[in-house]
């Protein structure tokens, strides 16, 4: 496919015709020019603002949860309020923050740029995906305002079919959000297939494309299962049709199967894009070719495929058959291998590089440490005999926070700092950036490593109070809960500083260079911020994405800013 | 395997650091595996971090024109780091599988006890006359015990950290769990499947006692015989799960039901606006037919306790106890 097709496909963006060569941020003005824009960068930016907003809402809820657990007695919030807080924390973080975070916000902004395309394959669908996201978010917010929901983000039946809280609107919200996710995934897959710049073969694509492709695949295949499941639950609640509830003749364990059939792949929908981001960051900030391009690329696909076959590892103690559990455990270990390959390859990439410890790189290193802990602790949970003890304790909570927050969220922050100069055209305060990266890393570990201790000692999750446990366990629980809460306050404060200096840079930041880090991928060849049509002349891909050694100084935008900093 | 296990894990250095007291025959195996994985993970984590830090220090950018290497992979290395983890994972899997079978196959001679989970308490029924509805699980030491569990409402999960066992308790089906307690003492029981408002109050204890003490306990109707009505009422109040919803002081603590301290003899407003005196008959009706009158400001969530679950004698004891809460 040639680039002329691209222009036709995205003809819609031509409505701004004459503005096509100005910055995408200022080419047209007014609220409507944003709300109905077909420009992937603007859509990405709107996604970015929304996901950050929801991250703050859910983060504040998490701080409330930690506040309650500072002391053993349930004396800060009522049990019902507490239950609603952790439910909404989980539901908002998962459905409104993490799933759209990297693909829909950063991905939307940089994916077409990195491919050398003018836009995604279906700009209108892209806009529709954002509008659907907003509608879904309204449903979830409605259930927050209509008294909250207390089922846990997992909506397990029969509790969720009898809970008196605003369950139906939350279910519909998650249902609607699923479509937004499917549309983004599909759009990216087609874009990757069809809109690569001339010369960009599959193995010359930046690695983030492989992970976006794997993500898209899972979004398209897994999300419909969740949609149907949630819809069935809505039917059960509103019309009393017995599907999952035993008293109506249903089977609650069936719900768990359906739910995890989506939600396990969803774990990889959340982490794969993060892995892609890390592959970009680690190469650019060490000016080094990636180690094992093919291994990393194919392991993304391997993860995407195997992740469909492991959902039962969430149900070892649920009463599913013992043999099924054994099979699921085995397959779970099979996913661990491609994941390990990736980690080893990233570390090996640093070998004989030229490493700068700037903000994006600090986040990358933090990712490697935290994600490795998250991955390794998964072994305890994938192993049958030890999972029995650890299931539904804080060990699991710590494990998935290391993967989701230590992995995806940290990579999101890294990517945000990496591409910030590109899509805002401004440079943030680097000293504050590094300071916060370190504080976030420390705060994170204080918060969540304590939770491994809690969990292995037996502290169950979703407990509002723990003052009635025996004296054998109480002192340990109390100590680690307090540590964890203190960590969360450090983490929260550091994140607020990040928000502050990023916003500050929009108004006071120094203008960013075209290619401040010396990146080799195509997005660094256009202006910062890019023009509406992305590239003034259609780019041609002449070298691999990580050919730092091959074409030295040759290209004129070879990282000036980065050099000064080094 | 067991020998190898003690060799590898040795006398565990700081049991308090990672795992709680181990008090069942299965715990040793689970703990051995836990520590095996822990050491393995620590090894790999330290390896990865050490390399990472070393590279970062060694290859820190010193000049803007610093050349980087063209290495783009190494088949030998890549094969090594795919195959070695795979082999280790297979070992972990089989060890875990072995422990899993052990956790799932109760011995023939196990003592069978029925467990009922309900919002928000556990009830234990013994195969002996009169010992039913106990609020604590009392078992003789070194006697395999098989729990046959069911739920009255939503899904709960029965978890004893000291025994390293856990199993969901699902409505409309039985789930089975077994353990062989090896230490005398009292151990926590937690509900680990979220089940609503007072999920965190759905606690109980396992008391592991000597065989003689167990016999005595069983013969005295689970320690319920020979108690005064108020004492009996007090026991029932916790074993029947009333504590999860009612506090026994007069504070307006945030529990699902009204506080019952200093309540008896007072006037009370119902949701219909009617004023009712809290006397024996009202309390009786509140327990037997809990939805007949709903206290103003509360949801009708209290389950009824018919004679099959609270006998007349027990009902009297409960009323006496509530009366005594001055
Ligand atoms: Cu999973
Ligand atoms: Cu519970």
């Amino acid at each position: 496919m040639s680039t002329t097709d691209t222009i036709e496909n995205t003809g819609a963006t031509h409505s701004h015709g004459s503005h096509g060569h100005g910055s995408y941020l200022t080419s047209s003005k007014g609220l409507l020019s944003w709300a109905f824009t077909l420009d992937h960068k603007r859509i990405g930016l709107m996604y970015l603002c929304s996901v950050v907003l929801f991250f703050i809402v859910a983060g504040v809820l998490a701080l409330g949860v930690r506040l309650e657990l500072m002391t053993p007695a349930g004396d800060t919030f009522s049990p019902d309020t507490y239950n609603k807080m952790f439910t909404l924390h989980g539901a908002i973080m998962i459905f409104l923050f993490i799933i759209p975070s990297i693909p829909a916000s950063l991905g939307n902004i940089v994916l077409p740029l990195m491919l050398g395309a003018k836009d995604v394959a279906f700009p209108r669908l892209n806009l529709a995906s954002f509008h659907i996201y907003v509608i879904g978010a309204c449903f979830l917010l409605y259930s927050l305002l209509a008294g909250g929901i207390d089922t846990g983000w997992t909506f397990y039946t029969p509790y969720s079919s009898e809970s008196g809280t605003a369950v139906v609107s939350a279910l519909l919200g998650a249902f609607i959000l699923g479509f937004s996710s499917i549309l983004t995934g599909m759009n990216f897959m087609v874009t990757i297939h069809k809109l690569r710049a001339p010369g960009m073969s599959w193995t010359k694509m930046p690695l983030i494309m492989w992970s976006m492709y794997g993500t898209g695949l899972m979004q398209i295949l897994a999300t419909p299962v969740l949609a149907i499941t949630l819809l069935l639950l809505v039917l059960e609640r509103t019309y009393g049709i017995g599907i999952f509830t035993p008293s109506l003749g249903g089977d609650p364990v069936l719900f768990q199967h359906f739910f995890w059939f989506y939600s396990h792949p969803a774990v990889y929908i959340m982490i794969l894009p993060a892995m892609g981001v890390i592959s970009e960051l680690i190469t650019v900030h060490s000016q080094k070719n990636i180690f094992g391009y093919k291994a990393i690329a194919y392991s993304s696909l391997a993860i995407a495929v195997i992740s469909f076959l492991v959902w039962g590892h969430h149900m070892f103690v649920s009463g599913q058959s013992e043999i099924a559990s054994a099979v699921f455990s085995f397959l779970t270990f099979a996913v661990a291998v491609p994941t390990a390959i990736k980690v080893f390859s990233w570390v090996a990439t640093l070998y004989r590089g030229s490493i700068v410890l700037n903000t994006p790189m600090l986040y990358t290193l933090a990712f490697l440490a935290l994600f490795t802990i998250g991955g390794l602790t998964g072994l305890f949970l994938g192993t049958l005999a030890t999972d029995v003890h650890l299931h539904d304790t804080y060990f699991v909570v710590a494990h998935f926070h290391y993967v989701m927050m230590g992995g995806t969220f940290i990579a999101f922050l890294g990517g945000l700092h990496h591409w910030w100069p590109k899509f805002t055209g401004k440079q943030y305060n680097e000293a504050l950036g590094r300071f916060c990266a370190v504080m976030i890393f420390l705060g994170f570990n204080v918060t969540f490593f304590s939770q491994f201790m809690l969990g292995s000692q037996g502290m169950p999750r979703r407990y509002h109070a723990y003052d009635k446990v025996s004296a054998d366990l109480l002192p340990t629980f109390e100590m680690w809960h307090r540590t964890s809460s203190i960590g969360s306050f450090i983490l929260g404060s550091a994140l607020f500083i990040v928000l502050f200096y990023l916003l500050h840079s929009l108004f006071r930041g120094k203008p960013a260079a075209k290619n401040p880090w010396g990146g080799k991928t195509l997005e660094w060849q256009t202006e910062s911020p890019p023009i509406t049509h992305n590239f003034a002349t259609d780019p041609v891909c002449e070298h691999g994405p990580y050919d730092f050694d091959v074409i030295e100084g040759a290209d004129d935008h070879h990282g000036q800013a980065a050099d000064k900093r080094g | 395997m067991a020998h190898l296990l003690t060799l590898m894990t040795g006398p565990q250095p700081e049991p308090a650091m990672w795992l709680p007291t181990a008090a069942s025959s299965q715990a040793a195996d689970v703990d051995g595996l836990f520590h095996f994985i822990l050491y393995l993970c620590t090894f790999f984590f330290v390896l990865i971090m050490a390399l990472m830090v070393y590279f970062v220090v060694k290859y820190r950018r010193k000049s803007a024109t610093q050349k980087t290497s063209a290495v783009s992979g190494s088949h030998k290395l890549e094969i090594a780091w795919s195959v070695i983890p795979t082999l280790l994972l297979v070992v972990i899997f089989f060890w875990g599988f072995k422990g899993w079978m052990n956790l799932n196959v109760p011995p023939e001679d196990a003592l069978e006890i029925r467990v009922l989970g309900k919002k928000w308490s556990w009830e234990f029924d013994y195969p002996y006359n009169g010992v039913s509805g106990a609020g604590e699980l009392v078992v003789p030491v070194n006697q395999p015990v098989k729990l046959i569990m069911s739920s009255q409402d939503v899904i709960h999960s029965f978890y004893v950290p000291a025994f390293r066992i856990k199993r969901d308790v699902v409505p409309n089906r039985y789930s089975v769990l077994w353990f062989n307690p090896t230490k005398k003492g009292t151990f926590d029981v937690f509900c680990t499947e979220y089940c609503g408002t007072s999920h965190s109050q759905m606690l109980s204890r396992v008391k592991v006692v000597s065989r003689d003490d167990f016999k005595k306990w069983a013969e005295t109707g689970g320690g319920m015989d020979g108690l005064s009505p108020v004492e009996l009422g007090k026991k029932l109040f916790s074993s029947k799960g009333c504590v999860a919803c009612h506090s026994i002081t007069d504070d307006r603590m945030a529990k699902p039901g009204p506080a019952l301290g200093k309540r008896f003899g007072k006037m009370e407003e119902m949701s219909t606006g009617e004023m009712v005196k809290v006397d024996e008959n009202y309390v009786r009706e509140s327990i037997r037919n809990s939805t007949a009158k709903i206290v103003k400001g509360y949801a009708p969530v209290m389950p009824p306790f018919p004679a099959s679950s609270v006998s007349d004698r027990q009902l009297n004891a409960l009323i006496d106890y509530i009366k005594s809460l001055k």
Side-chain angles (χ1 to χ4, degrees):
Chain A
M1 160 129 330
S2 73
T3 31
T4 25
D5 287 335
T6 318
I7 298 168
E8 273 154 28
N9 274 345
T10 60
T13 39
H14 279 263
S15 53
H16 318 297
S18 59
H19 308 290
H21 293 277
S23 152
Y24 80 99
L25 291 169
T26 49
S27 60
S28 52
K29 298 208 163 56
L31 205 61
L32 290 185
S33 82
W34 282 86
F36 293 100
T37 179
L38 297 178
D39 183 342
H40 66 101
K41 301 180 286 304
R42 286 192 165 201
I43 295 174
L45 211 53
M46 289 191 292
Y47 257 121
L48 183 64
C49 296
S50 328
V51 300
V52 167
L53 186 76
F54 289 119
F55 178 84
I56 295 173
V57 173
V60 169
L61 289 167
L63 291 179
V65 167
R66 285 314 324 162
L67 195 65
E68 173 68 78
L69 296 171
M70 277 287 268
T71 54
D75 44 10
T76 312
F77 300 104
S78 76
D80 285 324
T81 310
Y82 176 87
N83 294 343
K84 288 174 188 167
M85 286 198 308
F86 77 68
T87 301
L88 283 162
H89 162 71
I92 295 179
M93 279 293 188
I94 299 273
F95 294 113
L96 291 178
F97 175 70
I98 287 208
I99 291 183
S101 66
I102 295 181
S105 70
L106 292 178
N108 244 321
I109 297 173
V110 301
L111 183 130
L113 286 168
M114 294 180 90
L115 289 174
K118 288 224 152 59
D119 206 310
V120 291
F122 306 115
R124 283 174 209 283
L125 276 189
N126 202 17
L127 179 64
S129 146
F130 178 69
H131 287 168
I132 293 172
Y133 172 84
V134 173
I135 297 172
C138 290
F139 273 82
L140 265 186
L141 284 187
Y142 171 81
S143 68
L144 191 153
L145 299 177
I149 154 171
D150 74 340
T151 59
W153 82 275
T154 45
F155 303 117
Y156 269 22
T157 52
Y159 187 75
S160 57
S161 31
E162 59 173 62
S163 163
T165 52
V167 180
V168 171
S169 56
L171 289 173
L172 288 175
F175 174 76
I176 294 168
L177 287 166
F179 286 96
S180 149
S181 169
I182 294 173
L183 290 183
T184 303
M186 194 185 70
N187 216 337
F188 285 4
M189 281 180 83
V190 177
T191 309
I192 293 172
H193 265 287
K194 292 292 180 191
L195 299 187
R196 281 173 282 133
M200 189 184 281
S201 62
W202 281 87
T203 50
K204 273 194 181 168
M205 287 195 308
L207 279 165
I208 193 173
M209 298 305 153
W210 285 91
S211 30
M212 289 295 185
Y213 193 87
T215 309
L217 195 72
M218 288 188 291
Q219 283 174 313
I220 292 173
L221 293 179
T223 318
V225 179
L226 179 74
I228 293 292
T229 312
L230 298 180
L231 217 53
L232 288 175
L233 187 51
V234 170
L235 288 181
E236 182 169 275
R237 268 187 76 100
T238 37
Y239 300 110
I241 300 170
I243 298 156
F244 305 123
T245 295
S247 57
L248 300 171
D251 179 359
V253 180
L254 180 69
F255 177 84
Q256 299 178 21
H257 279 291
F258 283 1
F259 182 81
W260 290 114
F261 186 85
Y262 164 75
S263 295
H264 187 82
V267 171
Y268 291 92
I269 292 179
M270 303 174 214
I271 194 68
L272 265 186
M275 294 171 157
V277 168
I278 294 304
S279 299
E280 301 310 315
L281 268 55
I282 203 160
T283 47
V284 172
H285 299 283
S286 62
Q287 292 288 304
K288 173 66 188 22
N289 196 352
I290 193 85
F291 190 98
Y293 181 99
K294 288 206 172 129
I296 296 187
Y298 296 155
S299 61
S300 291
L301 295 189
I303 289 175
V305 172
I306 308 175
S307 72
F308 276 100
L309 306 173
V310 301
W311 77 88
H313 66 204
H314 297 266
M315 301 169 59
F316 290 159
V317 305
S318 71
Q320 84 184 350
S321 96
E322 277 79 30
I323 295 305
S325 291
V327 173
F328 282 122
S329 165
F330 192 81
L331 289 168
T332 301
F333 285 116
V335 192
V337 178
T339 312
I341 293 176
K342 279 178 185 273
V343 171
F344 287 125
S345 305
W346 288 320
V347 173
T349 298
L350 295 172
Y351 173 67
R352 292 175 64 191
S354 161
I355 298 165
V356 212
L357 288 181
N358 54 17
T359 313
M361 190 57 161
L362 287 177
Y363 280 116
T364 307
L365 300 177
F367 172 95
L368 285 181
L370 302 178
F371 181 72
T372 303
I373 297 182
L376 287 172
T377 48
L379 297 182
F380 295 87
L381 300 171
T383 305
L384 290 161
T386 42
D387 179 67
V388 171
H389 175 58
L390 299 170
H391 179 77
D392 268 342
T393 66
Y394 265 83
F395 197 93
V396 177
V397 177
H399 161 72
F400 71 70
H401 278 91
Y402 264 87
V403 178
M404 306 281 74
M405 194 175 182
T408 309
F409 179 66
I410 294 289
F412 171 76
L413 282 180
L416 192 63
H417 285 84
H418 179 76
W419 283 297
W420 186 266
K422 175 52 60 189
F423 68 83
T424 64
K426 293 293 164 62
Q427 200 73 46
Y428 47 84
N429 182 323
E430 175 68 22
L432 269 179
R434 292 184 203 183
F435 169 76
C436 287
V438 172
M439 291 313 286
I440 288 172
F441 179 74
L442 295 178
F444 180 90
N445 280 302
V446 175
T447 311
F448 293 108
F449 207 84
S450 323
Q451 300 187 359
F452 283 123
M453 302 304 187
L454 279 171
S456 65
Q457 291 280 348
M459 174 75 207
R461 67 194 279 200
R462 297 176 171 175
Y463 265 32
H464 162 245
Y466 51 99
D467 50 345
K468 301 256 167 52
V469 309
S470 70
D472 295 343
L473 295 175
L474 186 61
T476 337
F477 284 4
E478 197 177 351
M479 174 176 77
W480 290 120
H481 266 310
R482 191 172 310 129
T483 316
S484 177
S485 296
I486 293 171
S488 72
F489 302 142
I490 302 177
L491 184 57
S493 324
L495 286 170
F496 267 105
I497 307 181
V498 174
L499 184 69
F500 163 77
Y501 73 69
L502 285 182
L503 289 179
H504 181 86
S505 81
L506 290 181
F507 305 103
R508 293 283 151 78
K510 281 199 248 54
K514 246 185 179 180
N515 187 2
W517 321 117
K520 296 292 174 207
T521 39
L522 294 176
E523 81 272 31
W524 302 110
Q525 294 190 7
T526 183
E527 306 303 319
S528 302
I531 58 173
T532 301
H533 285 171
N534 288 354
F535 299 93
T537 49
D538 291 341
V540 177
C541 180
E542 283 152 351
H543 54 75
Y546 312 116
D547 286 345
F548 294 96
D549 50 311
V550 185
I551 19 134
E552 78 260 19
D555 84 70
D556 48 339
H557 0 271
H558 187 96
Q560 301 106 8
D563 295 346
K564 260 180 249 141
R565 213 162 270 126
Chain B
M1 197 66 144
H3 266 299
L4 188 71
L5 196 154
T6 29
L7 266 181
M8 267 190 307
T9 55
Q12 282 139 26
E14 276 175 310
M17 178 78 173
W18 284 101
L19 294 166
T21 332
S24 75
S25 62
Q26 295 111 313
D29 191 37
V30 173
D31 292 6
L33 178 53
F34 183 94
H35 284 101
F36 176 71
I37 305 177
L38 183 65
Y39 295 144
L40 210 65
C41 288
T42 314
F43 171 77
F44 275 102
F45 180 69
V46 171
L47 179 77
I48 293 170
M49 286 302 109
L51 282 174
M52 183 181 99
V53 171
Y54 174 76
F55 290 159
V56 167
V57 174
K58 179 105 196 277
Y59 303 112
R60 188 88 188 265
R61 184 174 305 169
K62 291 177 193 91
S63 75
T65 51
Q66 187 168 329
K67 293 282 280 172
T68 60
S69 143
V71 255
S72 63
S74 146
H75 283 298
K76 275 192 200 134
L77 259 181
E78 288 176 52
I79 290 175
W81 70 45
S82 315
V83 172
I84 297 173
T86 308
L87 294 179
L88 288 168
L89 291 175
V90 170
V91 172
I92 298 179
F93 167 76
F94 277 106
W95 193 340
F97 182 65
K98 182 182 149 264
W100 171 245
M101 292 320 287
N102 185 18
L103 285 165
N104 275 299
V105 184
E108 295 284 305
D109 60 341
L111 167 67
E112 286 188 8
I113 299 173
R114 287 191 183 267
V115 180
L116 180 67
K118 55 182 182 178
K119 286 179 180 171
W120 290 283
S121 64
W122 298 101
E123 256 182 39
F124 304 97
D125 286 344
Y126 286 75
Y128 312 118
N129 278 344
V131 193
S132 70
E136 286 175 339
L137 181 59
V138 180
V139 292
V141 70
N142 290 325
Q143 159 71 51
V145 175
K146 177 173 164 187
L147 303 177
I148 300 171
M149 310 188 292
S150 58
S151 163
Q152 183 180 300
D153 34 54
V154 296
I155 302 179
H156 304 282
S157 192
F158 189 87
Y159 175 39
V160 187
F163 296 166
R164 315 284 189 264
I165 55 166
K166 178 183 293 134
R167 177 59 60 134
D168 283 3
V169 181
V170 184
N172 259 13
R173 68 162 78 168
Y174 293 112
S175 42
V176 171
L177 191 60
W178 85 276
F179 59 91
N180 182 4
T182 50
K183 258 199 194 125
K184 280 192 269 184
T186 308
F187 306 102
D188 290 273
V189 174
F190 297 136
C191 172
T192 44
E193 186 61 69
Y194 173 69
C195 55
T197 312
S198 298
H199 169 54
S200 65
Q201 309 298 312
M202 192 163 163
L203 312 175
S204 180
R205 300 276 151 102
V206 193
K207 274 198 183 135
V208 182
V209 298
S210 69
R211 275 171 190 273
D212 290 343
D213 287 351
F214 180 74
K215 229 172 138 196
K216 233 178 276 158
W217 177 85
E219 277 161 4
T220 55
M224 295 287 188
D225 292 357
L227 293 178
S228 74
V230 173
E231 283 167 340
L232 178 61
K234 184 172 180 194
K235 279 208 141 177
L236 290 168
F237 198 77
S238 75
S239 73
K240 294 292 172 191
C242 319
V243 271
C245 297
H246 296 285
S247 81
I248 50 168
T249 50
D250 64 347
D251 58 351
R252 288 237 149 214
M253 265 271 292
K255 285 205 176 190
L260 293 180
K262 301 198 182 128
R263 188 54 60 124
F264 200 86
K266 303 266 163 63
M267 295 300 284
E268 182 108 281
E269 192 179 350
M270 296 297 120
S271 56
T272 52
E274 183 193 355
M275 296 298 287
V276 173
K277 184 162 191 240
V278 181
D279 57 11
E280 275 92 347
N281 273 317
Y282 169 74
V283 174
R284 180 177 205 284
E285 185 189 54
S286 293
I287 298 173
R288 278 274 188 265
N289 186 7
S290 52
T291 44
K293 296 195 182 78
I294 302 298
V295 184
K296 192 172 178 191
Y298 290 90
V301 292
M302 176 164 163
F305 292 86
S308 57
S309 111
V310 171
S311 68
D312 278 340
R313 176 172 165 254
Q314 291 174 329
L315 183 65
N316 292 338
L318 276 171
I319 295 175
D320 284 344
Y321 174 63
I322 291 171
K323 243 181 187 173
S324 78
L325 295 172
K326 290 282 156 54

